[in-house]
Amino acid sequence: MRPHAVHAVIAVKSLDQAKSRLADRLRPEHRARLVLAMLADTVTATTAVPGIRSVTVVTPDPAVADLARSVGAAVHPEPRKSGLDGLNSALADAARALRDRHGPVDLLALQADLPALRPEELNDVLTVAPRGVRSVVVDHAGTGTSALLVRDPVAALEPRFGPGSAGKHIAAGAVALHGDWPGLRLDVDTADDLDLAIELGAGEATCAALHDIGWHDRVHHHVRRVC
């Protein structure tokens, strides 16, 4: 059965805060370039899924907003007062705005750093996710959340991203989805994550950025051949 249409939201913080766990390997401008590239590949893969009607990026950063628009996403400004939990407040605000604009629709919150994401992985998630509940795709580390899906057109998104988010989402009633989705599960925070994304097959924008910043000169030969 054809899945119902879904509207996706992705939150991206300011580039000057980008990927601090890669600070020992990359200069700030290179980390910013990598964040933009991974976002481009994430949005490109997401917009290629037939069941996803739109992708909205919520961000306070003009460079992120420009990049998002260039790859087909809408942009929602980050709320001026997002409280202590800025990422989740931003996602929830964008989700409410989508419902205001489109009416009662299903929602998908995605991480912004999924450079090896494949459209068929997301399409499979939309197909298997049960209706009437929230679902989560647990990340490759087993503790985080790569995707939060609300297959209920009136239920709030209620994002709980952050450390231990998978357990928090599940404790709040979300169902963990099971499937072979390595690209979807691989959000990149560390150098090892990035090398694994290259091995899986990172997207075109991420590969171009990695070549430009010289990442391939820093890793093993078998990784260097892949991307």
Side-chain angles (χ1 to χ4, degrees):
M1 184 172 63
R2 184 182 178 89
H4 292 249
V6 176
H7 293 260
V9 292
I10 299 172
V12 185
K13 57 189 176 182
S14 295
L15 289 177
D16 60 6
Q17 304 173 41
K19 296 298 168 194
S20 59
R21 293 172 69 181
L22 288 170
D24 61 333
R25 301 286 295 272
L26 295 174
R27 301 199 303 268
E29 64 271 24
H30 289 166
R31 298 200 306 273
R33 170 76 191 279
L34 180 61
V35 167
L36 292 173
M38 292 193 294
L39 174 63
D41 286 328
T42 301
V43 172
T44 298
T46 303
T47 56
V49 179
I52 294 181
R53 186 68 52 81
S54 73
V55 179
T56 297
V57 173
V58 52
T59 183
D61 195 298
V64 174
D66 287 345
L67 182 281
R69 293 187 184 98
S70 76
V71 291
V75 175
H76 181 79
E78 186 174 79
R80 202 173 280 275
K81 292 184 178 179
S82 56
L84 296 175
D85 192 4
L87 172 67
N88 291 316
S89 296
L91 286 169
D93 189 75
R96 285 190 294 269
L98 279 168
R99 291 258 176 88
D100 289 343
R101 187 177 309 119
H102 300 287
V105 296
D106 292 353
L107 298 167
L108 170 68
L110 279 176
Q111 295 282 12
D113 49 4
L114 303 172
L117 176 63
R118 298 290 184 266
E120 55 268 27
E121 294 177 323
L122 264 184
N123 188 69
D124 193 36
V125 167
L126 299 187
T127 301
V128 304
R131 293 205 60 79
V133 297
R134 292 178 187 83
S135 303
V136 293
V137 177
V138 181
D139 70 7
H140 68 293
T143 58
T145 303
S146 292
L148 170 65
L149 177 61
V150 182
R151 285 308 231 164
D152 183 327
V154 295
L157 185 63
E158 295 187 10
R160 291 170 167 82
F161 288 93
S165 64
K168 293 175 183 176
H169 283 129
I170 292 168
V175 176
L177 299 177
H178 301 284
D180 183 21
W181 309 311
L184 175 57
R185 296 187 189 276
L186 183 57
D187 55 315
V188 172
D189 289 314
T190 68
D192 287 342
D193 295 340
L194 190 53
D195 290 346
L196 182 54
I198 296 169
E199 291 181 344
L200 284 175
E204 182 178 346
T206 300
C207 285
L210 291 173
H211 279 291
D212 289 348
I213 66 182
W215 181 263
H216 293 174
D217 297 331
R218 309 161 196 261
V219 298
H220 299 298
H221 181 68
H222 77 282
V223 172
R224 199 163 54 225
R225 291 201 307 259
V226 174
C227 187

PDB file of all heavy atoms in Angstrom, residues 16 42 64 80 143 162 188 209 218 223:
ATOM      1  N   ASP A  16      29.073  28.177  13.362  1.00  0.00           N
ATOM      2  CA  ASP A  16      30.199  28.390  14.277  1.00  0.00           C
ATOM      3  C   ASP A  16      30.189  27.407  15.442  1.00  0.00           C
ATOM      4  O   ASP A  16      31.148  27.341  16.219  1.00  0.00           O
ATOM      5  CB  ASP A  16      30.249  29.836  14.786  1.00  0.00           C
ATOM      6  CG  ASP A  16      28.993  30.248  15.535  1.00  0.00           C
ATOM      7  OD1 ASP A  16      28.121  29.390  15.777  1.00  0.00           O
ATOM      8  OD2 ASP A  16      28.887  31.441  15.879  1.00  0.00           O
ATOM      9  N   THR A  42      21.746  14.927   2.784  1.00  0.00           N
ATOM     10  CA  THR A  42      20.579  14.481   3.546  1.00  0.00           C
ATOM     11  C   THR A  42      19.289  14.970   2.899  1.00  0.00           C
ATOM     12  O   THR A  42      18.333  14.209   2.705  1.00  0.00           O
ATOM     13  CB  THR A  42      20.656  14.980   4.996  1.00  0.00           C
ATOM     14  OG1 THR A  42      21.866  14.481   5.606  1.00  0.00           O
ATOM     15  CG2 THR A  42      19.467  14.502   5.810  1.00  0.00           C
ATOM     16  N   VAL A  64      23.354  28.296   6.102  1.00  0.00           N
ATOM     17  CA  VAL A  64      22.595  27.037   6.109  1.00  0.00           C
ATOM     18  C   VAL A  64      21.286  27.225   5.354  1.00  0.00           C
ATOM     19  O   VAL A  64      20.877  26.377   4.549  1.00  0.00           O
ATOM     20  CB  VAL A  64      22.324  26.564   7.547  1.00  0.00           C
ATOM     21  CG1 VAL A  64      21.403  25.349   7.552  1.00  0.00           C
ATOM     22  CG2 VAL A  64      23.630  26.236   8.264  1.00  0.00           C
ATOM     23  N   ARG A  80      13.087  32.720  18.188  1.00  0.00           N
ATOM     24  CA  ARG A  80      13.995  33.630  18.892  1.00  0.00           C
ATOM     25  C   ARG A  80      14.198  33.193  20.336  1.00  0.00           C
ATOM     26  O   ARG A  80      15.293  33.286  20.882  1.00  0.00           O
ATOM     27  CB  ARG A  80      13.430  35.049  18.845  1.00  0.00           C
ATOM     28  CG  ARG A  80      14.461  36.135  19.044  1.00  0.00           C
ATOM     29  CD  ARG A  80      13.837  37.494  18.807  1.00  0.00           C
ATOM     30  NE  ARG A  80      13.738  37.811  17.398  1.00  0.00           N
ATOM     31  CZ  ARG A  80      14.731  38.352  16.705  1.00  0.00           C
ATOM     32  NH1 ARG A  80      15.880  38.606  17.282  1.00  0.00           N
ATOM     33  NH2 ARG A  80      14.577  38.631  15.431  1.00  0.00           N
ATOM     34  N   THR A 143      22.031   4.491  20.935  1.00  0.00           N
ATOM     35  CA  THR A 143      21.484   5.358  21.983  1.00  0.00           C
ATOM     36  C   THR A 143      20.787   6.601  21.430  1.00  0.00           C
ATOM     37  O   THR A 143      19.922   7.166  22.091  1.00  0.00           O
ATOM     38  CB  THR A 143      22.584   5.817  22.947  1.00  0.00           C
ATOM     39  OG1 THR A 143      23.599   6.516  22.209  1.00  0.00           O
ATOM     40  CG2 THR A 143      23.220   4.611  23.657  1.00  0.00           C
ATOM     41  N   GLY A 162      18.996  14.557  21.561  1.00  0.00           N
ATOM     42  CA  GLY A 162      20.035  14.851  22.535  1.00  0.00           C
ATOM     43  C   GLY A 162      20.606  13.549  23.061  1.00  0.00           C
ATOM     44  O   GLY A 162      20.258  12.462  22.578  1.00  0.00           O
ATOM     45  N   VAL A 188      26.688  11.509  11.667  1.00  0.00           N
ATOM     46  CA  VAL A 188      28.139  11.686  11.794  1.00  0.00           C
ATOM     47  C   VAL A 188      28.469  12.689  12.883  1.00  0.00           C
ATOM     48  O   VAL A 188      28.107  13.874  12.787  1.00  0.00           O
ATOM     49  CB  VAL A 188      28.751  12.131  10.449  1.00  0.00           C
ATOM     50  CG1 VAL A 188      30.213  12.512  10.629  1.00  0.00           C
ATOM     51  CG2 VAL A 188      28.602  11.025   9.412  1.00  0.00           C
ATOM     52  N   ALA A 209      33.293  17.760  -0.611  1.00  0.00           N
ATOM     53  CA  ALA A 209      33.836  18.527   0.516  1.00  0.00           C
ATOM     54  C   ALA A 209      35.054  17.835   1.113  1.00  0.00           C
ATOM     55  O   ALA A 209      36.057  18.491   1.438  1.00  0.00           O
ATOM     56  CB  ALA A 209      32.756  18.728   1.573  1.00  0.00           C
ATOM     57  N   ARG A 218      44.099  11.934   5.369  1.00  0.00           N
ATOM     58  CA  ARG A 218      44.253  11.674   6.799  1.00  0.00           C
ATOM     59  C   ARG A 218      43.817  10.264   7.172  1.00  0.00           C
ATOM     60  O   ARG A 218      43.933   9.875   8.320  1.00  0.00           O
ATOM     61  CB  ARG A 218      43.397  12.659   7.610  1.00  0.00           C
ATOM     62  CG  ARG A 218      43.603  14.119   7.235  1.00  0.00           C
ATOM     63  CD  ARG A 218      42.425  14.951   7.715  1.00  0.00           C
ATOM     64  NE  ARG A 218      42.397  16.261   7.071  1.00  0.00           N
ATOM     65  CZ  ARG A 218      42.847  17.376   7.632  1.00  0.00           C
ATOM     66  NH1 ARG A 218      43.324  17.358   8.832  1.00  0.00           N
ATOM     67  NH2 ARG A 218      42.794  18.521   6.982  1.00  0.00           N
ATOM     68  N   VAL A 223      39.863   3.337   2.708  1.00  0.00           N
ATOM     69  CA  VAL A 223      38.788   4.309   2.773  1.00  0.00           C
ATOM     70  C   VAL A 223      38.949   5.331   1.649  1.00  0.00           C
ATOM     71  O   VAL A 223      37.991   5.740   1.008  1.00  0.00           O
ATOM     72  CB  VAL A 223      38.763   5.003   4.151  1.00  0.00           C
ATOM     73  CG1 VAL A 223      37.765   6.147   4.147  1.00  0.00           C
ATOM     74  CG2 VAL A 223      38.449   4.015   5.256  1.00  0.00           C
TER      75      VAL A 223
END
